[in-house]
Amino acid sequence: MDARIVVIDDDADLRKALCWMLRLDGFEVSEFSDATEAISRIEGGLPADLILLDLMMPRMNGWEFCTYRAQSSVLTKVPVIMITARQSIVPPTGVSEILLKPFDPQLLQAVIARTLARPSVSGQE
Amino acid sequence: MVTIEERPYDATMTPEERSTMLSRVYVIEPGIVFYREVPVQSVESIDLMLGRLYELGCQWPTFVEVLDLSKVERPSPAVRAVIRNWMLRLAPHMAHLCIIVETNFVMRAVARFVAYSMNVTELSFYETEAEAIDAARRLRG
Amino acid sequence: MPPGGYGADPNIGVIGDVLRHLAEIGAGRTSITDADLANAPSDLIRELLVGLLTLHEDLHYERGLRAGAEQQSDGLVADLRAAVAARDEFLSVASHELRTPLTTLRLVTTTLARALAHSPSENGSDLARQIAVINRQVVRLETLTAALLDVSRITSGRLALHLEPVDLGVLVHEIVNRFRADQTEGAPLIEFQSDSSVTGQWDPSRIDQVASNLIANAVSYGKGAPFQVSVHAVGDAARLIVRDEGIGIAADQRLRIFERFERAVSSSNYSGLGLGLWIAKQIVDAHGGQIEVDSELGRGATFTVTLPRSRAIDGSA
């Protein structure tokens, strides 16, 4: 079965660009412009094997999402890859990997592959 | 012709005021230029009138200036600085400076002080215009 | 001492007054008034007082002029500082803001290229070439953006080195291979040679930047001829040498090429911002090393980077 990726980013063009590439790679992709909406859908049963998360978003940003995720039994099961332009940041809790913009698309694919290959244990960083 | 009042005239002076000021600098005889200073000097008035003095005086190899300071107030440092600059250009052409002070003893002291500070030593002081012009004729040689 | 003592000398009073006035003037004030001048008992005293008062006024005037000039120059310096800070801030913000659009561009061109490969069409190869061109431009933009950000970071003192144990020979070999892999037909041959175990504590990504810049320059300015890259251990130092047989550098340019935005070549022939060598020098300096060039116009260039192997670096980087 193809892995299911959730993309959360308020920048529509970047979000679309990510979805196109990931679908071409064979993933099933759900996209959200707003983190709170993503939370309610995933907790409501939307299957997710990986979350691609932008850091800077208006209503709920990447840090806030990770803080919420830490105490959500559903969300902690889903690894998070963070995408950001900001270089020296304190990584939010529970993030598996951080990708700095601009990144080589091949690097993104490699990071996704190895994150999915990792055995997922709830709460593990 | 307008009356020059007892106040400084700056760049806003009218053309009439300007030409009245210029008319206070004139040739008495060949080699002798008369300069009746305005009561309150300004940088602009000095530039105007000493410029005219320079034009008129340089018609001859040297000239004598008759300078009327009898109604003049003590000049400010800014004015003195401009006078000093003009004096550097005028001094080589000026054989002598005859200064009318009447009873303006303060201006006599100031004139002497300022002249000496510019190394202008050929100067003499007079109580009347007639005496000054007489002396100028003799000094012109 | 005159007969009768000093009290008999009529000039004492005047001299005493003059001394008092001089002292006041020296302290920046005077008690002489115009009335004093008008009412002076003698011409001599009047002239003395005029002289003193004029002196005081001239001093004040000059002090006022100087203060005005100083204020102006202080103002200018402040303006200049503010302008430099604003420029650095702008560079930082601009290069930061460029990152998201560049990421999007890269993703889309990659996807386009792959979609095209999967479903070939009539104009397939043309489209593929065009997409490749777009992709290359994006990579160029990324490089320029990173360079601009580096410049702004370095100039605002925010260049931070992350030191690790690094084998310079291994690192440079990887870089050379990267260049070799990207090369197309007719590209210059890169010869590489290294001593073994040239190790030290350096920032690998920053040293990568330095080596890449030197190698890229050798490719650009080497006239297509083969060039040599070598790594040596020289006592307590490590040395990276990049030597090419290209257009060379004129004597008067040899120092200037390390300055910001300086280029030894005309911009109509060779493109680029002229930042690479400046950034390289900042990085090498921050490591406590040196970077030098030996070159003659028309006779190629040899760039030598020397890095200390043991840790004795200014902590201020």
Side-chain angles (χ1 to χ4, degrees):
Chain A
M1 186 201 57
D2 294 326
R4 295 147 303 190
I5 300 185
V6 171
V7 176
I8 310 175
D9 193 330
D10 64 308
D11 181 327
D13 283 339
L14 179 52
R15 196 179 64 241
K16 293 283 179 203
L18 284 165
C19 293
W20 288 331
M21 193 184 80
L22 295 173
R23 282 180 191 133
L24 203 61
D25 281 337
F27 296 105
E28 222 180 274
V29 185
S30 308
E31 51 174 298
F32 299 95
S33 62
D34 179 86
T36 56
E37 210 201 311
I39 288 174
S40 64
R41 290 285 306 277
I42 299 173
E43 285 185 334
L46 177 74
D49 298 305
L50 176 73
I51 295 173
L52 271 184
L53 179 70
D54 184 38
L55 187 62
M56 306 297 278
M57 294 183 288
R59 269 178 55 189
M60 181 191 240
N61 65 35
W63 283 290
E64 290 161 342
F65 176 89
C66 291
T67 308
Y68 178 86
R69 170 177 172 270
Q71 47 83 57
S72 157
S73 52
V74 172
L75 289 173
T76 30
K77 293 198 184 80
V78 188
V80 171
I81 295 173
M82 176 142 285
I83 297 178
T84 180
R86 299 189 50 182
Q87 292 216 284
S88 30
I89 54 155
V90 176
T93 45
V95 168
S96 304
E97 308 237 13
I98 299 179
L99 272 173
L100 292 177
K101 294 187 232 179
F103 50 79
D104 192 324
Q106 286 183 315
L107 180 60
L108 173 64
Q109 290 163 329
V111 168
I112 289 176
R114 69 175 175 241
T115 308
L116 288 172
R118 222 173 270 147
S120 58
V121 179
S122 332
Q124 183 165 58
E125 308 247 331
Chain B
M1 282 307 173
V2 297
T3 327
I4 299 295
E5 296 155 21
E6 285 180 28
R7 61 170 176 86
Y9 286 78
D10 62 13
T12 61
M13 59 176 137
T14 66
E16 293 79 29
E17 286 162 350
R18 201 179 289 269
S19 63
T20 304
M21 258 187 226
L22 285 171
S23 69
R24 293 163 76 104
V25 184
Y26 56 89
V27 175
I28 295 182
E29 305 169 5
I32 304 181
V33 184
F34 194 94
Y35 181 124
R36 192 186 314 280
E37 186 55 280
V38 294
V40 183
Q41 299 152 307
S42 67
V43 170
E44 288 78 7
S45 75
I46 292 293
D47 265 341
L48 191 64
M49 293 171 71
L50 282 180
R52 169 66 107 207
L53 178 72
Y54 187 80
E55 267 173 35
L56 295 175
C58 288
Q59 296 177 70
W60 306 281
T62 62
F63 69 102
V64 175
E65 180 191 355
V66 177
L67 172 63
D68 185 356
L69 294 181
S70 57
K71 309 285 186 299
V72 177
E73 286 175 19
R74 214 160 56 78
S76 69
V79 166
R80 272 187 277 114
V82 180
I83 293 175
R84 203 169 278 130
N85 281 339
W86 273 108
M87 274 305 161
L88 288 173
R89 295 171 69 187
L90 282 162
H93 302 273
M94 244 178 12
H96 200 90
L97 183 52
C98 299
I99 305 181
I100 309 164
V101 287
E102 291 180 5
T103 54
N104 192 341
F105 302 129
V106 172
M107 267 323 283
R108 183 170 68 192
V110 172
R112 222 199 299 262
F113 184 84
V114 173
Y116 284 167
S117 76
M118 292 179 299
N119 243 346
V120 174
T121 48
E122 289 300 313
L123 73 172
S124 44
F125 296 90
Y126 306 92
E127 279 181 31
T128 67
E129 190 175 309
E131 286 171 12
I133 293 176
D134 249 355
R137 286 189 181 115
R138 277 179 279 114
L139 289 160
R140 179 191 41 183
Chain C
M1 185 155 128
Y6 282 117
D9 189 332
N11 287 319
I12 285 297
V14 177
I15 291 177
D17 283 342
V18 168
L19 289 175
R20 181 173 49 83
H21 284 305
L22 279 171
E24 282 175 359
I25 289 166
R29 60 177 201 279
T30 188
S31 52
I32 305 172
T33 64
D34 278 285
D36 291 331
L37 299 182
N39 303 328
S42 72
D43 282 343
L44 175 62
I45 290 176
R46 181 177 299 114
E47 289 197 24
L48 266 172
L49 291 175
V50 161
L52 290 168
L53 187 55
T54 308
L55 176 65
H56 166 79
E57 286 172 355
D58 282 347
L59 281 175
H60 248 279
Y61 180 59
E62 241 162 83
R63 242 179 254 145
L65 287 179
R66 217 179 310 131
E70 270 170 11
Q71 248 186 4
Q72 228 195 9
S73 114
D74 278 347
L76 284 173
V77 169
D79 281 345
L80 195 59
R81 271 198 228 280
V84 169
R87 180 206 62 197
D88 287 342
E89 177 72 22
F90 170 75
L91 279 181
S92 177
V93 168
S95 54
H96 187 272
E97 287 304 309
L98 285 167
R99 291 160 154 191
T100 303
L102 286 171
T103 308
T104 309
L105 278 171
R106 280 273 249 156
L107 287 166
V108 173
T109 54
T110 303
T111 308
L112 271 174
R114 289 172 49 206
L116 207 60
H118 284 184
S119 42
S121 65
E122 236 172 71
N123 306 329
S125 58
D126 278 344
L127 287 174
R129 262 196 294 277
Q130 287 162 343
I131 292 171
V133 166
I134 297 175
N135 220 36
R136 275 201 294 279
Q137 302 318 303
V138 176
V139 173
R140 268 176 82 182
L141 282 171
E142 283 178 8
T143 312
L144 289 171
T145 308
L148 281 174
L149 186 63
D150 270 346
V151 167
S152 82
R153 252 194 267 129
I154 289 172
T155 51
S156 55
R158 283 180 289 143
L159 175 65
L161 293 182
H162 302 116
L163 301 175
E164 302 171 13
V166 174
D167 185 321
L168 191 61
V170 171
L171 176 67
V172 176
H173 198 188
E174 277 171 10
I175 298 167
V176 167
N177 285 341
R178 215 166 59 206
F179 273 85
R180 284 173 178 160
D182 272 345
Q183 282 182 327
T184 51
E185 284 254 11
L189 180 67
I190 309 176
E191 296 163 13
F192 175 73
Q193 176 249 335
S194 167
D195 293 348
S196 55
S197 293
V198 185
T199 51
Q201 286 267 86
W202 303 303
D203 184 329
S205 64
R206 292 297 183 178
I207 299 298
D208 185 316
Q209 229 177 323
V210 172
S212 300
N213 177 260
L214 296 178
I215 296 173
N217 281 347
V219 171
S220 303
Y221 304 120
K223 293 200 303 206
F227 62 92
Q228 296 84 40
V229 179
S230 57
V231 174
H232 312 268
V234 185
D236 199 33
R239 199 163 278 170
L240 162 67
I241 301 179
V242 178
R243 179 194 323 243
D244 70 62
E245 304 291 325
I247 63 175
I249 302 163
D252 60 344
Q253 301 281 23
R254 266 184 269 135
L255 280 176
R256 290 185 56 212
I257 51 173
F258 291 106
E259 287 166 31
R260 231 191 309 184
F261 303 118
E262 286 295 338
R263 309 192 60 236
V265 295
S266 79
S267 40
S268 47
N269 291 8
Y270 296 91
S271 60
L273 279 179
L275 289 170
L277 283 175
W278 182 81
I279 294 176
K281 181 172 190 311
Q282 303 309 308
I283 293 172
V284 171
D285 284 350
H287 278 85
Q290 296 99 41
I291 180 168
E292 296 159 316
V293 64
D294 189 11
S295 177
E296 263 179 56
L297 205 54
R299 310 270 286 271
T302 301
F303 282 87
T304 305
V305 174
T306 309
L307 295 168
R309 293 172 74 176
S310 45
R311 179 94 173 78
I313 297 167
D314 316 320
S316 57

